[in-house]
Amino acid sequence: VFGRSLAQREGAETWSFYEGPPTANGKPHAGHVLSRVFKDIYPRYRTMCGYRVLRKAGWDTHGLPVELEVEKQLGISSKAEIEEFGIAEFNQRCRESVFTYVEEWKRLTERIGFWIDLEDPYVTLENNYIESVWWSLRKIWDDERLYEGHKVVPYCPRCGTALSSHEVALGYRDVVDPALFVKLPITSVAPSDERPEPAVVEGDNLLVWTTTPWTLISNAAVAAGGDIEYVRARVAGGDDVYVLARARVETVLGENAEILAAFPGEAVAGASYEPPFPFISDYGPKGHTVLLGDFVTTDEGTGLVHTAIAFGEDDFRLGEQHGITLQNPVRLDGTFDERAGQFAGKWVKDADPEIVEALRDSYKLLREEAYEHSYPHCWRCETPLLYYAKSSWYIRTTDVRERMLAENERIGWHPEHIKHGRFGKWLEGNVDWALSRERYWGTPLPIWECKGEGCDERFCAGSLADLRERGGVLPEDLHRPYIDDVVLDCAACGGEMRRVPEVIDTWYDSGAMPFAQFHYPFAVGSEERFTERFPADYICEAIDQTRGWFYSLLAESVLLFDQTSYLNCVCLGLILDPDGQKMSKSRGNVADPWDVLGTHGADALRWYYFTAQQAGPWAGYRFSSEAVGESVRQFLLTLWNTYSFLVLYANANEVGRDELPAHPEPAEELDRWTLSRLQGVTAEVRAALDDFDSTTSGRAIAAYVDELSNWYVRLSRRRFWDGDRAALATLRHCL
Ligand SMILES: [Zn+2]
Ligand SMILES: [Zn+2]
């Protein structure tokens, strides 16, 4: 029927839908059913209105979650083990795993009546798809928006890769860490132009506070706030003079602390101090001095901030502003390297207690406290994350932030508040896209670097032809490790070029589907297919995709085509259990869609999703099989009984279907009334569906069916008993 609906509309106006690709390495659950029925209803409605609505299925096949599943199967848990196992074999397992449940997905898709072309899907792991992705990266490269940058990223030392902000949000846990107040003696004071008399003196102690003792090894500077008031102060009866923010004196030094002098932060800027540890000193001229930073507050700590350039975003930025040399003594596996003296070789968090002892021994520790706070852990392996300066590849999305915001104005969001709320805010806070992943199963980053002596030539491949042209011998499979063996000739020096080791963020793959699904711009006819369906009239996914697919789609299409790739977006809420709890395997409250389908049928489940939530599907559902059963009793049974009534009396009076006119002439007032109501309801339903409002349209239909049964049929019963043609024709038309 789906195929016929397209064939009959050959040449009709296109209404375009993009399928956000699921990954078939897990079974579909109630949430997938929700998105798939909403992906069906509006294209189905537009088809009924005469549009040709092509719907191409898609499968998302790359990324960390896929790798994790395979690691679990193999019983391994580190990059070293994967490489020992063999990247080729590992990636082969990944490739197989993403189709494990594809038959289950197809079966469910068919059972719930989601019309989509499963015979000709786009698959993100296919060479054609990868080539289109490369084409797009090359365009971004040509626009000078693809770059390698050194930044502080949330990093899992076990998985050996940076994580996205979305992933970080999944792994916060409450932990107790040591909080230290550390004394840093001032060794020289710099008089400034404004203040020839320095506010602090040699021998005063800058007081800093930290909850990550291991970063003290890498202390490079102390940050002060320019507008914050600082003091020289003494503990009652003590000798040591401390420098800290006035607002923190009582909390840190006690009620009876004696204040000797007060001055603004800029009066202490430039002072040099003795670092907590002597291991690393070559930070440049401004190393181990007090610098002014706009991020300093007096909410916690001392108002002076210990700064370790490699391990904090603010720290890193401060270091860049002041030209401080980056020194990172922590290896990729989270252990100290040889620069860290007696701590070399230790996992940084394990070194904390010894670091505290060493500070105590050198009289630099004022106080240690236990500090309970929420700290991000790896959502995959539960290792505490490190904020870590690394080199990564980025897309300069901040270049097109204004364009993304402008295009967002063209998108019809359902619910509307997403536009300037969740999504608009996310766009306003846009940072460059951390694109590269130091992993195995993903689209390879198509950048080759020259290995020739003194040559820094780089090349971004935008097609397979690009690689051949440079002397590359192409493998059958474009994934690692095969692509890593492709050696190119350097155009600058004739030397050998090798690919960088990274793969790309899997969200980039799915964001590329508007063009990559057609192997654009390489395949014959792909230009026409792409143009005909770009931008999409409609997309629909769970609301959490504002930071996932909704974002990657918009960012890529603005970067490549300077416009949004979708014009309407319906966001779906969570499926909760009847008590409002999130469904999870550990709680044992996961509803199996097959149970519900078996008990109540697909129409009941669809109707429930379309109409149950008064506030709209984005408000979420408290899902239970009983609730679906309720929609059967309230609507479907009434509809069915009315239909049975018609069939019963048509048969009893030997009235065949063909004898009843499709457009009945009303014979009585009641006929006229119900036909008029039908017109009114039809208009109401269409207006609501045009506005992506299934709740209003569904409830209007339900109310009409109730009227039809309880008023029209009930009051016209005698006419049906008598086989009145006008009544039978009217009821049939209304049904
Ligand atoms: Zn991890
Ligand atoms: Zn070269």
Side-chain angles (χ1 to χ4, degrees):
V1 178
F2 173 46
R4 283 279 296 280
S5 83
L6 296 173
Q8 285 177 344
R9 286 164 182 77
E10 199 75 57
E13 197 180 329
T14 295
W15 199 75
S16 176
F17 165 75
Y18 287 162
E19 159 75 331
T23 306
N25 71 341
K27 287 184 183 176
H29 54 64
H32 294 120
V33 176
L34 173 65
S35 63
R36 287 173 106 65
V37 302
F38 270 95
K39 287 172 179 188
D40 184 73
I41 181 175
Y42 299 113
R44 184 178 294 267
Y45 163 66
R46 295 289 170 159
T47 300
M48 291 168 73
C49 294
Y51 291 94
R52 187 159 184 261
V53 191
L54 294 158
R55 280 154 274 177
K56 190 178 174 74
W59 301 107
D60 199 15
T61 54
H62 285 144
L64 270 174
V66 177
E67 291 194 35
L68 174 66
E69 278 306 308
V70 173
E71 280 184 58
K72 269 191 202 154
Q73 281 167 25
L74 295 172
I76 61 177
S77 64
S78 75
K79 286 169 77 172
E81 284 172 301
I82 291 171
E83 291 186 13
E84 198 180 310
F85 181 74
I87 298 174
E89 179 60 23
F90 181 77
N91 275 355
Q92 182 57 32
R93 299 283 181 109
C94 289
R95 179 186 285 270
E96 285 159 13
S97 85
V98 293
F99 295 112
T100 309
Y101 295 105
V102 79
E103 288 310 316
E104 174 79 4
W105 276 84
K106 286 183 179 172
R107 201 160 66 91
L108 187 78
T109 299
E110 224 154 84
R111 181 69 181 86
I112 61 176
F114 175 30
W115 280 1
I116 191 148
D117 185 1
L118 289 163
E119 301 305 312
D120 180 31
Y122 67 89
V123 183
T124 60
L125 60 72
E126 287 178 352
N127 283 354
N128 285 346
Y129 198 95
I130 290 173
E131 190 180 26
S132 288
V133 169
W134 284 359
W135 165 83
S136 68
L137 290 172
R138 171 59 190 256
K139 179 159 186 341
I140 293 168
W141 169 273
D142 286 341
D143 293 339
E144 294 178 2
R145 287 177 178 151
L146 179 56
Y147 68 96
E148 187 182 26
H150 222 90
K151 294 189 184 186
V152 172
V153 292
Y155 174 81
C156 175
R158 190 218 69 95
C159 295
T161 190
L163 299 180
S164 70
S165 52
H166 186 81
E167 289 169 309
V168 172
L170 293 172
Y172 274 89
R173 288 166 51 180
D174 289 334
V175 292
V176 178
D177 277 319
L180 311 182
F181 290 91
V182 179
K183 305 190 278 186
L184 303 173
I186 292 177
T187 52
S188 80
V189 287
S192 68
D193 293 346
E194 295 83 31
R195 281 183 179 268
E197 291 298 314
V200 292
V201 299
E202 284 172 29
D204 286 358
N205 294 284
L206 301 171
L207 204 53
V208 298
W209 180 77
T210 183
T211 58
T212 49
W214 62 269
T215 62
L216 288 168
I217 305 281
S218 310
N219 174 278
V222 166
D227 298 333
I228 295 173
E229 190 185 23
Y230 291 87
V231 296
R232 298 178 68 230
R234 260 198 301 246
V235 183
D239 294 328
D240 284 349
V241 175
Y242 300 109
V243 178
L244 70 165
R246 183 193 276 275
R248 303 301 300 168
V249 171
E250 197 179 313
T251 315
V252 178
L253 299 181
E255 278 177 23
N256 301 320
E258 180 189 356
I259 291 176
L260 306 172
F263 42 88
E266 56 193 32
V268 72
S272 300
Y273 62 89
E274 185 187 324
F277 291 95
F279 307 127
I280 304 169
S281 55
D282 43 347
Y283 287 106
K286 289 195 176 175
H288 296 138
T289 67
V290 178
L291 306 172
L292 294 180
D294 54 12
F295 55 89
V296 180
T297 70
T298 56
D299 300 340
E300 269 185 323
T302 64
L304 287 174
V305 178
H306 146 62
T307 299
I309 309 300
F311 306 113
E313 236 173 278
D314 290 330
D315 310 49
F316 188 81
R317 212 157 38 84
L318 190 72
E320 274 190 330
Q321 281 161 14
H322 293 278
I324 291 183
T325 313
L326 182 78
Q327 298 270 11
N328 184 350
V330 177
R331 297 191 189 103
L332 289 170
D333 64 359
T335 61
F336 281 115
D337 71 15
E338 64 290 339
R339 277 175 285 182
Q342 73 260 38
F343 306 109
K346 279 201 185 307
W347 157 239
V348 293
K349 288 261 176 192
D350 290 345
D352 276 353
E354 285 172 54
I355 286 170
V356 174
E357 279 321 298
L359 288 169
R360 209 185 301 277
D361 290 348
S362 61
Y363 302 103
K364 291 205 174 84
L365 185 64
L366 174 68
R367 195 158 77 237
E368 179 191 6
E369 293 168 349
Y371 182 69
E372 192 179 339
H373 63 151
S374 180
Y375 190 84
H377 290 63
C378 180
W379 64 283
R380 306 180 56 215
C381 71
E382 304 191 343
T383 304
L385 298 181
L386 307 182
Y387 284 84
Y388 192 92
K390 287 193 80 280
S391 135
S392 269
W393 288 86
Y394 292 87
I395 294 176
R396 196 171 283 116
T397 49
T398 48
D399 257 14
V400 294
R401 174 168 35 204
E402 295 310 314
R403 283 294 304 134
M404 288 195 284
L405 283 164
E407 286 299 299
N408 182 35
E409 294 300 317
R410 295 176 59 207
I411 301 170
W413 286 98
H414 307 274
E416 209 184 331
H417 62 75
I418 298 288
K419 183 194 292 253
H420 296 130
R422 204 173 168 129
F423 196 63
K425 293 275 183 295
W426 172 251
L427 293 178
E428 277 167 23
N430 185 260
V431 293
D432 286 350
W433 185 341
L435 182 71
S436 57
R437 297 285 180 274
E438 302 112 294
R439 297 293 306 189
Y440 308 97
W441 181 238
T443 298
L445 183 63
I447 292 171
W448 271 257
E449 293 178 321
C450 183
K451 298 295 169 193
E453 190 74 35
C455 181
D456 56 4
E457 181 76 358
R458 278 173 166 169
F459 174 67
C460 179
S463 66
L464 301 186
D466 274 358
L467 294 177
R468 283 194 205 97
E469 216 168 85
R470 297 227 171 189
V473 179
L474 292 184
E476 234 169 80
D477 175 356
L478 295 179
H479 288 90
R480 297 188 69 191
Y482 312 107
I483 194 68
D484 301 335
D485 295 334
V486 175
V487 179
L488 304 184
D489 304 325
C490 175
C493 75
E496 195 174 82
M497 299 189 94
R498 294 256 171 198
R499 198 184 71 82
V500 300
E502 288 95 344
V503 297
I504 67 168
D505 184 359
T506 186
W507 289 107
Y508 190 95
D509 287 355
S510 48
M513 64 72 67
F515 53 94
Q517 64 176 331
F518 305 121
H519 192 206
Y520 174 91
F522 303 103
V524 176
S526 61
E527 173 85 41
E528 291 74 18
R529 278 192 281 278
F530 166 70
T531 311
E532 187 191 11
R533 294 189 226 173
F534 181 89
D537 291 290
Y538 173 57
I539 62 170
C540 168
E541 300 292 336
I543 201 161
D544 56 9
Q545 295 295 329
T546 43
R547 281 148 198 217
W549 194 52
F550 299 157
Y551 172 66
S552 65
L553 271 181
L554 179 69
E556 287 176 47
S557 62
V558 167
L559 284 160
L560 298 165
F561 307 107
D562 196 31
Q563 61 167 303
T564 178
S565 44
Y566 52 97
L567 299 174
N568 291 286
C569 181
V570 170
C571 305
L572 303 171
L574 277 178
I575 309 271
L576 304 173
D577 79 0
D579 301 322
Q581 297 293 314
K582 213 173 155 179
M583 288 190 182
S584 72
K585 272 185 199 152
S586 56
R587 283 202 185 92
N589 61 352
V590 180
D592 180 356
W594 286 106
D595 289 347
V596 183
L597 289 167
T599 310
H600 300 296
D603 285 319
L605 182 52
R606 288 173 62 112
W607 191 259
Y608 166 79
Y609 278 144
F610 293 149
T611 59
Q613 181 50 268
Q614 170 78 49
W618 39 85
Y621 298 80
R622 292 194 174 192
F623 185 85
S624 68
S625 187
E626 291 70 37
V628 177
E630 199 55 37
S631 76
V632 175
R633 278 184 293 282
Q634 287 183 354
F635 168 62
L636 288 173
L637 281 181
T638 313
L639 180 63
W640 182 252
N641 289 338
T642 310
Y643 172 74
S644 299
F645 181 86
L646 169 71
V647 172
L648 179 68
Y649 288 101
N651 286 342
N653 291 286
E654 293 179 342
V655 179
R657 194 176 54 185
D658 301 336
E659 294 169 54
L660 298 174
H663 296 285
E665 283 297 320
E668 297 196 9
E669 291 283 87
L670 269 177
D671 297 346
R672 202 166 282 124
W673 171 73
T674 198
L675 288 169
S676 159
R677 285 287 301 125
L678 179 65
Q679 292 302 316
V681 169
T682 303
E684 194 183 339
V685 167
R686 290 189 62 146
L689 288 176
D690 284 343
D691 195 31
F692 300 92
D693 179 359
S694 66
T695 313
T696 301
S697 62
R699 290 183 178 192
I701 290 173
Y704 180 66
V705 167
D706 186 63
E707 273 179 15
L708 194 64
S709 161
N710 286 321
W711 291 96
Y712 180 71
V713 170
R714 194 169 287 181
L715 294 178
S716 312
R717 221 171 258 169
R718 178 156 296 282
R719 293 169 67 202
F720 288 100
W721 294 342
D722 296 344
D724 181 317
R725 300 292 161 111
L728 288 167
T730 300
L731 182 56
R732 177 164 175 269
H733 179 69
C734 292
L735 282 168

